[in-house]
Structure formats: C-alpha cells, structure tokens
C-alpha cells in the first residue's frame, strides 16, 4: 500500500504481539490493520443502523415503505463504501506487493539458498556448504533449526515428504505451503539478529502442534564462520550409506 497507508505497517509492526523483523513484512501488517479497521467501521455502521431503525419503527409505527427505502439506501451506501474503501484498495495493494516483492524471487551472489523438507512432524533444512552446491557431502543439514545471516535475501525451496504443511514465521509475516507434489518457492530477509519461532500453519496430523522450529538470525561474520565450520564437519562425517543424508534436490532458483 502506498503513501500514508503504507506507513501503517511500519508504524504498528513493532507494537504487534509478535514484532515484525523482516524487510517486507510491514506490507502484510498494513493490509491486515487496514482490513480489520475498515471492516470494524462497516460492522459498527450496520449494527447502528439496525438498532436505530428497530427503535424508531417500534416507537413511531412509521409506515414500512419509507423505512424500507431508507434501509435500502443505507445498505447501498454501505456496500458501495465497502467496495470502494475496502475491496479496491486491498486488491490493488496486494497486486502491487505481489509484483514488487512476493512474486519476484531474488537472484545473484548475495542470496542464501535453503532447501526445506517438511515431514510429519518436523522441518529439515539443507544449505549448500563451502562448495556452494547442493547434493554434495559438505551440505549442512539440520533438524528444526534454520540459521541465516541478517540482512541478506534468503530463498527457500519447499517440499514435503508426506502431506500438506505450511512454513510459517510470524515474526517475518511469512507463510508458505510445502506439498509433496512439487517445489514451492518463497523468500525473506531479516532486519535484525535474534531467535524466532517457525511453525506449521497447515493442520497435518495429530502431532501438528509439535511441528515447531527455530529461526536463528546471526550477524553476517558469525554466520560465515559457522557455515564454514559446519560444512567442513559435514564433509568429514558424511556417510554415503546413510539414506537420511541423501535427501535434497537440484535447487530451483
Ligand atoms: Cu505440518
């Protein structure tokens, strides 16, 4: 959303129960706050009209025709206002956000690439190691913990081993499906170091509530050090006979 409205998310993001720490998440906060505020206003107008007409009709016994006409006029005004103030701005803002951010996956040397394999009920993460290629012994694989550097774009490839899951990081205002029929893609960038919750937002079986992970955002030098050490360690420990080491795919850029 542009202009003053666009500042809504930036203004209110830090005061949300889960503060927004992502580069583009304020766009989602803006849409959410705007939709909630306008819907609440429309709801109040509708309830107020119903109450006023009920009281007036009961007291004065006015003839039904003018009352019907007034009600129809109010209904038309509310519907028109909803369309002009809620639907149109939301659709156009969402289209703009899609075109500018969510529909455009960043590329280039700066990008951190991660393969995410969801399963009942855990998250598997794979980073290309020191050689920069996926499917090699120095890949860094982790369970339920994703480490990324602050400030750099992180592109995810998501798949599922079994049923539909959804990768959800409330602090990033990011939610994306992972399904077993193919690869889905999304991206994010985090503005500050810290530890944030990863959840599954798609009901995926009886232990769905336990499908949680942690996003650890490190300052870039600490991340580079950690990746280099972990990658060397992975190459050292690599066991080709272990089938758990073999998941992964050709990264879809
Ligand atoms: Cu799940």
């Amino acid at each position: 959303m542009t202009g003053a409205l666009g500042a809504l998310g930036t203004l209110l993001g830090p005061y949300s129960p889960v503060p927004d720490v992502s580069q583009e998440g304020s766009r989602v906060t803006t849409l959410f706050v705007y939709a909630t505020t306008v819907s609440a206003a429309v709801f109040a107008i509708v309830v107020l009209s119903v109450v006023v007409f009920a009281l007036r009709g009961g007291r004065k016994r006015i003839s039904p025709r003018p009352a019907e006409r007034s009600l129809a006029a109010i209904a038309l005004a509310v519907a028109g206002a909803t369309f002009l103030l809620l639907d149109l701005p939301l659709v156009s803002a969402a289209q703009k956000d899609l075109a500018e951010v969510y529909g455009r996956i960043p590329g280039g040397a700066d990008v951190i690439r991660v393969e995410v394999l969801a399963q009942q009920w855990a998250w598997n993460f794979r980073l290309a190691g020191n050689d920069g290629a996926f499917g090699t012994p120095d890949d860094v694989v982790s369970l339920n913990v994703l480490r990324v550097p602050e400030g750099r774009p992180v592109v995810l490839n998501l798949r599922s081993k079994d049923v539909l899951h959804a990768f959800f990081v409330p602090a990033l205002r990011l939610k994306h499906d992972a399904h077993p029929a193919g690869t889905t893609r999304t991206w994010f960038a985090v503005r500050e170091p810290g530890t944030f919750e990863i959840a599954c937002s798609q009901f995926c079986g009886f232990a769905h509530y336990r499908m949680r992970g942690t996003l650890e955002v490190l300052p870039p030098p600490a991340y580079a050090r950690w990746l280099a050490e972990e990658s060397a360690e992975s190459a050292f420990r690599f066991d080709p006979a272990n089938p758990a080491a073999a998941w992964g795919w050709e990264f879809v850029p």
Side-chain angles (χ1 to χ4, degrees):
M1 228 172 246
T2 49
L5 274 181
L8 252 183
T10 319
L11 260 173
L12 297 174
Y15 302 103
S16 143
V18 181
D20 164 41
V21 294
S22 75
Q23 206 172 280
E24 304 290 348
S26 64
R27 293 171 184 258
V28 177
T29 311
T30 299
L31 293 180
F32 181 79
V33 171
Y34 184 75
T36 310
T37 311
V38 177
S39 305
V42 168
F43 178 72
I45 292 170
V46 170
V47 170
L48 207 68
S49 313
V50 169
V51 170
V52 166
F53 275 89
L55 290 177
R56 276 182 60 195
R59 262 208 314 269
K60 288 181 165 174
R61 295 198 143 274
I62 51 174
S63 74
R65 245 178 226 299
E68 267 171 24
R69 271 203 295 273
S70 312
L71 265 177
I74 288 176
L76 200 68
V78 167
T82 307
F83 180 70
L84 289 175
L85 294 176
L86 189 63
D87 299 340
L88 268 186
L90 282 182
V91 167
S92 77
Q95 286 300 329
K96 188 167 170 284
D97 292 344
L98 269 177
E100 287 177 1
V101 180
Y102 301 107
R104 184 182 57 83
I105 304 285
D110 201 32
V111 164
I112 304 290
R113 294 173 176 82
V114 186
E115 292 185 349
V116 183
L117 182 65
Q119 69 177 87
Q120 290 174 318
W121 290 275
W123 296 103
N124 300 279
F125 300 107
R126 178 180 290 269
L127 293 155
N130 291 328
D131 64 1
F134 282 93
T136 55
D138 77 343
D139 284 3
V140 176
V141 178
S142 60
L143 183 70
N144 291 332
V145 178
L146 171 60
R147 287 193 181 87
V148 298
E150 164 201 5
R152 283 173 63 182
V154 179
V155 175
L156 304 180
N157 267 199
L158 300 115
R159 284 188 186 181
S160 168
K161 244 187 203 180
D162 34 53
V163 298
L164 182 62
H165 301 273
F167 182 82
F168 179 32
V169 187
L172 302 180
R173 307 294 188 259
L174 179 77
K175 204 181 259 190
H176 209 81
D177 280 354
H179 59 75
T183 308
T184 58
R185 299 180 306 149
T186 188
W187 78 279
F188 63 86
V190 196
R191 285 186 282 117
E192 55 192 74
T195 303
F196 310 99
E197 183 189 7
I198 298 171
C200 177
S201 65
Q202 188 65 252
F203 181 69
C204 57
F206 80 90
H208 160 69
Y209 71 100
R210 290 181 58 190
M211 192 163 165
R212 299 177 73 182
T214 307
L215 174 70
E216 287 184 19
V217 183
L218 306 173
Y223 173 80
R225 242 185 348 262
W226 168 80
L227 187 70
E229 282 168 14
E230 200 66 21
S231 177
E233 183 73 17
S234 295
F236 178 69
R237 279 182 289 146
F238 184 72
D239 175 7
N242 175 10
W247 72 266
W249 53 87
E250 192 139 333
F251 195 83
V252 184

